[in-house]
Amino acid sequence: MYEWSEMELAIQEAIRQFVNAEIRPLREELEFGDMPPYDILRKLWKTFGIDVMAAEALNKILAKERDGASSEGKGGGGLGLGAQGGMGVILVKEICRVSPGFVGAFGVSLGLGASTILARGTLAQKERWVPPLVTLEKIAAWALTEPDSGSDAFGGMKATVRRDGDDYVLNGQKTFITNGPYADTVVVYAKLDDGETPARDRKILTFVLDAGMPGFTQGKPFRKMGFHSSPTGELFFDNVRLGRDRLLGGPDDGSGRKLPSAEEHAGGDGRDSAKSGFVAERMGVAAMSLGIIEECLDQCVRYAKERVQFGRPIADYQLIQLKLAKMEIGRLNVENMVFRSLEMASAGKQPSLAEASAMKLYSSQTATDIAMDAVQLFGGNGYMSEYPVEQLARDAKSLMIYAGSNEIQATHIAKGVLGAS
């Protein structure tokens, strides 16, 4: 059975010290001052040498591909949240103990944005866009969701591209896009308008955009219930002209061979890369949930020992003990899910979409339940923003919607059980 090694526990302590020194004191500014998280994340990357390790790992991947090996279709070549095994999970959960939005910000930039380019792009595209992303010099967004196509992301998609000579012209809107207001690089999914295929059945293409392109507008950050350290916004596309070099996987496959049409480009249908991203993102939610659960439990144990009512610490009362016991059961269950995913990764395997959906649904629901119980245990204090459980309850709730609502996760789980596609 997987368990934290001495090395991983040492890394955990080091990251916890950084979080307590650099993020926890800024909790209020992050919650109420609209402070973007990127400078702190860059400091974290440099402090632990993550920027150097990521750059070296990327260089090895690109060198192999230059020699003829391809990373296409392999889930981004190791840039997701679990790329460094236990270290990646520890990084995620320790940050989530204080400010889960930080993980949303870098997780989407690396685990979805950079990884999609690395998994589906040509060698030239990888060399062009990925290097500054892995070091966090630049930030990526991953634009799939639209105002009228939340859970029906593919069928209800209205953003379109049409051919115009050798170029494409992009029109439409995306919403709830993590890093959207500040992203330097944006991976965008849109339907190919060929004038013949019914709208729901049209091929989905994936493009890479840069901030500041004519016709491309990045909206201001939304005001949200929680997840405040993860900037979220809208993207607008008004006749954005895109060269074929921005079509992910085309117009050449890295060998210089020209591909005659979008239908044959190396990146495949955008649905495939999006679904691959879903698995990594939903596994990441389990690690995020674990961090929230651990912090809530620690806060509640400390408070229950210190808070005196009727002449006794409330930890002496059985109803309080029951709450703490349920929190510990939830912590163990989610931790075991995370450990299972780490064991699979060490064996070169990945959960199915249904399994990843099960992890996401259970862990996010458990984190939300535990955070709400933490607020109740703290009583009136728990409802006050001065106490961290108030923020964690709001942030935990976002995980039930983030990365696909829990209702849609249930359909993926059921399809997996029923053997449906």
Side-chain angles (χ1 to χ4, degrees):
M1 178 180 174
Y2 193 97
E3 59 182 11
W4 300 125
S5 67
E6 290 186 7
M7 176 65 76
E8 287 168 335
L9 291 174
I11 292 171
Q12 176 175 277
E13 181 59 27
I15 293 174
R16 188 170 296 179
Q17 289 177 10
F18 179 94
V19 170
N20 288 337
E22 302 291 341
I23 300 179
R24 199 178 290 272
L26 296 174
R27 191 176 69 88
E28 189 160 322
E29 288 87 341
L30 290 163
E31 282 294 297
F32 306 110
D34 296 322
M35 174 187 285
Y38 309 113
D39 286 343
I40 301 174
L41 284 171
R42 292 184 182 109
K43 185 174 183 179
L44 172 66
W45 251 234
K46 288 186 179 299
T47 298
F48 290 95
I50 301 172
D51 55 344
V52 175
M53 289 189 292
E56 291 176 349
L58 176 63
N59 287 336
K60 291 179 180 178
I61 292 170
L62 296 180
K64 287 182 179 179
E65 188 162 352
R66 292 186 194 102
D67 291 338
S70 173
S71 66
E72 192 272 321
K74 294 183 181 180
L79 291 179
L81 295 181
Q84 301 300 323
M87 179 179 172
V89 170
I90 288 169
L91 179 67
V92 166
K93 77 180 187 68
E94 289 303 311
I95 294 175
C96 281
R97 291 177 70 117
V98 178
S99 191
F102 269 78
V103 174
F106 80 73
V108 166
S109 184
L110 292 173
L112 293 178
S115 287
T116 298
I117 299 171
L118 193 58
R120 302 288 170 170
T122 66
L123 176 59
Q125 290 170 333
K126 296 168 190 178
E127 292 176 330
R128 177 178 178 182
W129 281 297
V130 178
L133 293 178
V134 298
T135 62
L136 297 189
E137 176 187 345
K138 292 187 176 182
I139 299 297
W142 191 77
L144 177 68
T145 303
E146 299 182 6
D148 297 323
S149 65
S151 297
D152 187 18
F154 302 126
M157 184 179 295
K158 295 180 180 178
T160 62
V161 289
R162 58 178 175 81
R163 295 191 193 90
D164 186 13
D166 289 335
D167 295 339
Y168 293 85
V169 178
L170 170 66
N171 283 283
Q173 176 183 354
K174 300 291 182 178
T175 194
F176 304 142
I177 305 303
T178 299
N179 298 328
Y182 302 108
D184 304 289
T185 304
V186 183
V187 176
V188 179
Y189 292 82
K191 286 188 174 179
L192 177 63
D193 184 0
D194 58 10
E196 300 176 357
T197 308
R200 292 189 67 87
D201 299 329
R202 289 174 179 167
K203 185 178 183 66
I204 293 176
L205 303 183
T206 313
F207 293 86
V208 183
L209 277 64
D210 294 310
M213 294 179 65
F216 174 33
T217 302
Q218 296 170 259
K220 295 181 180 179
F222 287 142
R223 303 296 297 179
K224 300 176 294 186
M225 176 180 175
F227 236 51
H228 290 161
S229 56
S230 175
T232 306
E234 293 179 293
L235 304 176
F236 303 91
F237 313 104
D238 182 12
N239 290 320
V240 181
R241 182 165 291 276
L242 305 171
R244 294 186 71 186
D245 59 319
R246 293 182 178 276
L247 174 62
L248 203 59
D252 69 74
D253 60 3
S255 65
R257 179 177 63 91
K258 290 291 184 180
L259 299 177
S261 70
E263 286 76 10
E264 300 173 71
H265 76 85
D269 191 288
R271 290 175 177 84
D272 298 329
S273 68
K275 288 178 180 178
S276 177
F278 290 159
V279 172
E281 190 178 29
R282 291 167 188 178
M283 289 169 61
V285 168
M288 296 174 74
S289 299
L290 181 59
I292 292 174
I293 291 168
E294 287 183 352
E295 181 70 11
C296 285
L297 180 56
D298 285 355
Q299 291 281 345
C300 287
V301 168
R302 188 180 306 114
Y303 187 80
K305 291 178 177 179
E306 295 172 353
R307 178 67 169 173
V308 175
Q309 290 289 280
F310 304 104
R312 299 166 61 188
I314 63 173
D316 289 348
Y317 298 107
Q318 286 188 337
L319 284 177
I320 298 298
Q321 293 173 3
L322 179 60
K323 286 185 184 297
L324 296 175
K326 288 182 176 179
M327 290 180 187
E328 173 62 3
I329 292 170
R331 186 195 68 79
L332 286 170
N333 285 338
V334 173
E335 184 179 68
N336 284 335
M337 284 185 164
V338 170
F339 282 172
R340 179 175 180 272
S341 69
L342 289 173
E343 286 182 326
M344 291 183 71
S346 66
K349 300 178 181 178
Q350 187 181 58
S352 66
L353 179 60
E355 290 172 326
S357 293
M359 291 175 62
K360 191 271 183 186
L361 188 154
Y362 179 84
S363 63
S364 62
Q365 180 68 64
T366 301
T368 302
D369 291 345
I370 287 175
M372 291 302 294
D373 276 346
V375 171
Q376 190 69 21
L377 188 148
F378 272 67
N381 288 332
Y383 202 68
M384 299 294 108
S385 61
E386 289 82 0
Y387 289 81
V389 294
E390 180 269 343
Q391 173 210 323
L392 291 173
R394 290 185 286 105
D395 287 350
K397 180 61 181 177
S398 70
L399 296 182
M400 295 180 64
I401 304 169
Y402 180 82
S405 70
N406 279 9
E407 288 77 10
I408 205 69
Q409 306 306 318
T411 66
H412 289 305
I413 298 166
K415 287 179 180 179
V417 171
L418 295 169
S421 59

